[in-house]
Amino acid sequence: MKSFLATLQFMTRLPVPARWTRDLPLDAYARGVIWMPVVGLVVGSICALVFALAEPAFGTPLAALLTVLANAMVTGAFHLDGLADTCDGIFSARRREQMLEIMRDSRVGTNGALAMVFAIGLRLAAMAALSLHPGGALPYIVAAPVVSRALISILMYRQRYARESGLGNVYIGKISGHHFAVALLAGMLLTLAIAGLRGGGAALIVLVLAYGYRARINAVLGGQTGDTLGCGVEIFEWLFLLAALAVP
């Protein structure tokens, strides 16, 4: 239970008292990867609740915007920051060491700003389009964070940490094959339960694309960082929403 609470505390801004995770060893965080799909379920449920309450009152476009805002508030824009930093670095056309330095910079550059604009825009458009489909957008709003949190285990398992130190080093290269398999399986089963076969098909599409993302980051940076994990969460979420539109 401490492992779950520590993962919830690390991945969100939900108020988890520090005493509940006190004295937890660092290797327990790596084992806590099995709880990431459940953390995604918590985030997705909060976002879906906001959408469900806002849509009748304000209409779909504003409800979608409020849902994106809720996601950013629950996560502290943690993953959006990773998206911006990663895009600033890998699209800078510099050497690997300079890319990593750019990613460390707290300032947001043009590439990072554009990445956030497009990521938010894609989420809004996908949610609006899904709301017109049978069953509506709610199942996919709940499932998207589940899928993304399950799939970042791909960026951790048997991966090299691209820096000498940092927060991502708690997970990257530290999770076991057993925990990797449990995280993926839990994410897929939860997605099937929430969004049915259509959601499961969309999750499989994103699973394949996640391996492509991992390969690209490895080729450019020589490994993963905390920023590339956060970037992965953002990309996998809107890819799942788009894939759900494409799956018949």
Side-chain angles (χ1 to χ4, degrees):
M1 197 59 184
K2 270 192 174 184
S3 226
F4 166 67
L5 292 170
T7 306
L8 187 67
Q9 186 181 59
F10 186 79
M11 299 289 285
T12 73
R13 291 297 177 266
L14 296 174
V16 178
R19 67 179 183 278
W20 291 0
T21 58
R22 192 174 295 141
D23 302 324
L24 196 67
L26 275 180
D27 62 350
Y29 284 85
R31 293 195 301 271
V33 73
I34 63 173
W35 292 110
M36 285 193 176
V38 181
V39 170
L41 180 62
V42 173
V43 174
S45 298
I46 293 170
C47 291
L49 178 63
V50 170
F51 188 88
L53 293 175
E55 189 178 30
F58 307 119
T60 301
L62 189 51
L65 183 59
L66 290 171
T67 302
V68 172
L69 175 60
N71 187 297
M73 291 178 67
V74 169
T75 61
F78 191 37
H79 311 303
L80 272 173
D81 180 65
L83 172 74
D85 288 342
T86 300
C87 289
D88 274 337
I90 65 175
F91 292 120
S92 65
R94 306 292 176 86
R95 296 188 179 197
R96 172 185 174 274
E97 292 75 17
Q98 291 173 303
M99 287 182 186
L100 290 170
E101 281 305 310
I102 289 169
M103 289 165 66
R104 249 191 224 282
D105 195 330
S106 60
R107 293 169 295 182
V108 177
T110 303
N111 291 318
L114 282 172
M116 287 194 288
V117 168
F118 282 118
I120 292 169
L122 284 166
R123 280 174 183 266
L124 295 174
M127 280 189 279
L130 283 167
S131 69
L132 301 175
H133 280 239
L138 286 178
Y140 307 101
I141 293 172
V142 176
V146 174
V147 172
S148 64
R149 270 63 173 187
L151 292 184
I152 58 168
S153 61
I154 290 172
L155 310 180
M156 301 171 183
Y157 181 55
R158 291 188 173 179
Q159 292 299 287
R160 178 179 176 271
Y161 191 62
R163 300 185 187 279
E164 292 181 3
S165 62
L167 281 177
N169 202 25
V170 174
Y171 293 104
I172 298 167
K174 302 292 173 60
I175 70 171
S176 69
H178 169 72
H179 291 130
F180 170 59
V182 170
L184 275 184
L185 183 61
M188 292 301 168
L189 290 176
L190 278 172
T191 302
L192 281 170
I194 297 162
L197 291 176
R198 190 175 176 191
L204 287 176
I205 291 171
V206 184
L207 172 66
V208 174
L209 295 173
Y211 276 101
Y213 170 80
R214 185 180 80 171
R216 180 59 184 161
I217 294 297
N218 282 336
V220 174
L221 297 178
Q224 305 292 329
T225 70
D227 283 328
T228 66
L229 295 188
C231 181
V233 169
E234 283 296 318
I235 290 174
F236 301 158
E237 281 196 31
W238 57 255
L239 277 177
F240 173 77
L241 295 174
L242 292 177
L245 285 167
V247 173

